[in-house]
Amino acid sequence: MINPIELVIFDCDGVLVDSERIAVRVYVALGAELGWPLTEAEVIERFIGRSIVSNFEQITSRVGTSRAALWQERFGQLHRVAVDAELAPVNGILEVLDALTLPSCVASGGSHDTMRHTLGHTGIYPYFEGRIFSASEVAHGKPAPDLFLHAAKEMGVNPSACIVVEDSKYGVQAARAAGMRALGYAGGLTPEQWLEGPNTTVFDEMRELPRLLAEA
């Protein structure tokens, strides 16, 4: 018997805020500048949905410690400027959050500082204040299940009663590893086929989320 949903766990980037395009653009620009030329497709496959720590471990192994440190510093600067200039909520998500009656939280590979900035800039932060979890709080980021299991524990909900809304292949893999159902949002940058798999429903219109939650 499938447990009824007691908690909706939202990823942040690409699910709540339309920030993935900004991040990809900044990664490509910095790669060209600092010695690791990357296409947008390569950035999406390597970095999107993973923790900051994991991403910069990859960068360090490729360009060395000093250039990776500069990359990290420059990424923070360029990302913040772009967020302030152009970041918007994912299309339809504010309507979803206004209508949502189930308990919810955020669990993201991003840092708390970054989420306060992006969620605050888009007006989403008040929906989740006090219920935001970062990969910095656990040993291993996505695709490991640690972050989602941590969020469920902190929220007092059994993993089998949680459903995760994700837009990356690493995110849906982490949800499955945690024993949770997943809703894979394919309305952003990630190809639909990367999200498909067991206990996962793929969708591409965020306004469909209330119906999908009711049917889960």
Side-chain angles (χ1 to χ4, degrees), residues 98-187:
D98 281 335
L100 187 65
T101 57
L102 288 164
S104 62
C105 67
V106 176
S108 170
S111 69
H112 280 289
D113 283 347
T114 298
M115 286 189 281
R116 273 191 293 270
H117 185 219
T118 58
L119 296 176
H121 181 80
T122 51
I124 295 175
Y125 191 82
Y127 289 95
F128 296 104
E129 188 169 4
R131 307 187 316 281
I132 298 174
F133 305 100
S134 166
S136 63
E137 299 169 45
V138 297
H140 305 288
K142 305 167 190 176
D146 302 30
L147 179 57
F148 291 144
L149 293 174
H150 171 64
K153 182 178 179 181
E154 291 296 308
M155 295 294 292
V157 177
N158 190 291
S160 64
C162 298
I163 193 164
V164 175
V165 186
E166 264 286 357
D167 73 315
S168 77
K169 63 177 180 179
Y170 299 114
V172 293
Q173 287 169 8
R176 292 174 198 139
M180 300 176 181
R181 284 160 278 179
L183 295 173
Y185 177 61

Side-chain angles (χ1 to χ4, degrees), residues 14-200:
V15 169
L16 298 175
V17 294
D18 194 12
S19 54
E20 303 287 38
R21 291 174 176 81
I22 293 173
V24 169
R25 191 173 71 232
V26 174
Y27 272 119
V28 169
L30 289 174
E33 178 184 327
L34 295 173
W36 188 8
L38 291 159
T39 66
E40 290 190 358
E42 287 170 334
V43 169
I44 293 167
E45 181 162 8
R46 284 181 174 274
F47 299 129
I48 295 304
R50 304 197 77 159
S51 70
I52 293 171
V53 171
S54 171
N55 288 345
F56 282 99
E57 284 175 353
Q58 290 188 65
I59 292 166
T60 300
S61 70
R62 185 64 179 250
V63 302
T65 303
S66 60
R67 283 195 178 188
L70 178 59
W71 189 315
Q72 188 165 17
E73 179 184 353
R74 295 267 291 131
F75 182 90
Q77 295 167 346
L78 294 172
H79 187 268
R80 182 170 287 267
V81 168
V83 163
D84 287 342
E86 62 189 88
L87 185 65
V90 166
N91 190 28
I93 192 63
L94 292 176
E95 296 168 43
V96 169
L97 296 178
D98 281 335
L100 187 65
T101 57
L102 288 164
S104 62
C105 67
V106 176
S108 170
S111 69
H112 280 289
D113 283 347
T114 298
M115 286 189 281
R116 273 191 293 270
H117 185 219
T118 58
L119 296 176
H121 181 80
T122 51
I124 295 175
Y125 191 82
Y127 289 95
F128 296 104
E129 188 169 4
R131 307 187 316 281
I132 298 174
F133 305 100
S134 166
S136 63
E137 299 169 45
V138 297
H140 305 288
K142 305 167 190 176
D146 302 30
L147 179 57
F148 291 144
L149 293 174
H150 171 64
K153 182 178 179 181
E154 291 296 308
M155 295 294 292
V157 177
N158 190 291
S160 64
C162 298
I163 193 164
V164 175
V165 186
E166 264 286 357
D167 73 315
S168 77
K169 63 177 180 179
Y170 299 114
V172 293
Q173 287 169 8
R176 292 174 198 139
M180 300 176 181
R181 284 160 278 179
L183 295 173
Y185 177 61
L189 299 181
T190 301
E192 182 175 334
Q193 61 269 26
W194 289 8
L195 302 172
E196 294 171 345
N199 300 316
T200 304

